[in-house]
Amino acid sequence: MSGLSNESLSEALAQLRSEDVRIQNRGVAAVIEIGAEAVPALLAMLKEFSGGHRAQVMYALSQIADPMGADAFKRGLADENERVRSSAAVGLLRIGDPDALAALVQTIGDAPDELHGDMTPAVFALGEMGVTALPSLLGLLMDENETTRLRAQRAVEQILMRHHGFVPGQGFPDATAEEQFRVEWRANGDYRYSDDVAARAAAVEKWHRWMTGFEE
């Protein structure tokens, strides 16, 4: 590591240790920009911190997505802090770990958005995974917990939206693509998390048939 990089990393780590969340956030952005060279120090910090500081460090590691963090991500799934668990699961996806899907399903309820409780980091990540995630999500669409069903629905919606060209932060390529998404959603049973068991089961069966087309 060059002297300048060393100095930048030291400054970023000092910011991460701050009690001011705004300063912590600057440190997070800095270590993410530094990248893999910051990973050993961040892994050491995980042992030093708990709570919000630990969550910030795990988030940074998940965004850097270096395979060196694999063991930390797997341990993080059992952390008492839901933000740590959530970032750990996303980290496993980012490094291509085979346990990523199970981890994201496990953490689908963790760290919901403050303004949109139906959206969590796992919901977005499962949507990013695409059809690969569908088999696990279809089971959650029949879960006894209504909030879990809602989050699973949002993930399936994300998968189908992306299938029709949706890009997060940009939207659909055109109005036709958006309408195609809506038509296909209705054709697959127009699933609603609040529907009765029979209606949900009928929609899930249609999704199973839709998914089969990708497996042939």
Side-chain angles (χ1 to χ4, degrees):
M1 186 184 295
S2 69
L4 180 60
S5 297
N6 222 345
E7 182 179 338
S8 299
L9 178 58
S10 295
E11 181 180 353
L13 296 177
Q15 290 174 329
L16 273 171
R17 289 188 172 90
S18 171
E19 295 300 322
D20 187 322
V21 174
R22 292 170 298 179
I23 296 175
Q24 290 175 24
N25 288 342
R26 291 202 290 272
V28 168
V31 293
I32 291 173
E33 185 174 350
I34 291 169
E37 290 183 340
V39 170
L42 292 172
L43 291 174
M45 289 183 79
L46 279 179
K47 300 175 182 178
E48 174 185 346
F49 288 137
S50 61
H53 281 92
R54 186 174 172 82
Q56 293 276 48
V57 174
M58 187 64 82
Y59 174 78
L61 285 167
S62 76
Q63 298 307 298
I64 295 170
D66 189 281
M68 194 186 311
D71 287 343
F73 293 146
K74 291 181 180 181
R75 289 193 300 270
L77 295 175
D79 199 274
E80 62 182 16
N81 186 296
E82 63 180 329
R83 289 175 55 211
V84 172
R85 298 194 300 267
S86 181
S87 290
V90 171
L92 287 175
L93 175 62
R94 296 283 182 265
I95 65 172
D97 191 278
D99 293 331
L101 175 55
L104 290 169
V105 169
Q106 174 187 326
T107 60
I108 196 169
D110 287 337
D113 185 280
E114 290 184 0
L115 299 179
H116 304 282
D118 53 338
M119 303 302 290
T120 67
V123 167
F124 286 112
L126 288 162
E128 180 183 328
M129 288 190 75
V131 177
T132 302
L134 262 181
S136 297
L137 286 168
L138 294 185
L140 292 183
L141 293 179
M142 298 302 296
D143 196 90
E144 291 184 0
N145 184 282
E146 187 174 273
T147 304
T148 297
R149 296 199 303 269
L150 173 57
R151 289 170 177 153
Q153 175 181 334
R154 294 292 182 254
V156 177
E157 288 171 349
Q158 291 282 318
I159 291 170
L160 188 61
M161 289 164 67
R162 287 171 180 264
H163 179 65
H164 286 285
F166 179 87
V167 177
Q170 299 180 29
F172 287 97
D174 50 49
T176 299
E178 183 173 4
E179 180 58 22
Q180 288 173 340
F181 154 71
R182 298 187 187 284
V183 168
E184 193 153 24
W185 185 267
R186 290 192 294 269
N188 281 346
D190 198 19
Y191 177 91
R192 286 185 291 270
Y193 73 97
S194 57
D195 280 347
D196 61 35
V197 173
R200 287 187 280 115
V204 168
E205 179 57 33
K206 290 184 178 181
W207 276 105
H208 275 293
R209 290 200 293 269
W210 184 85
M211 186 174 58
T212 301
F214 290 86
E215 298 172 346
E216 293 174 348

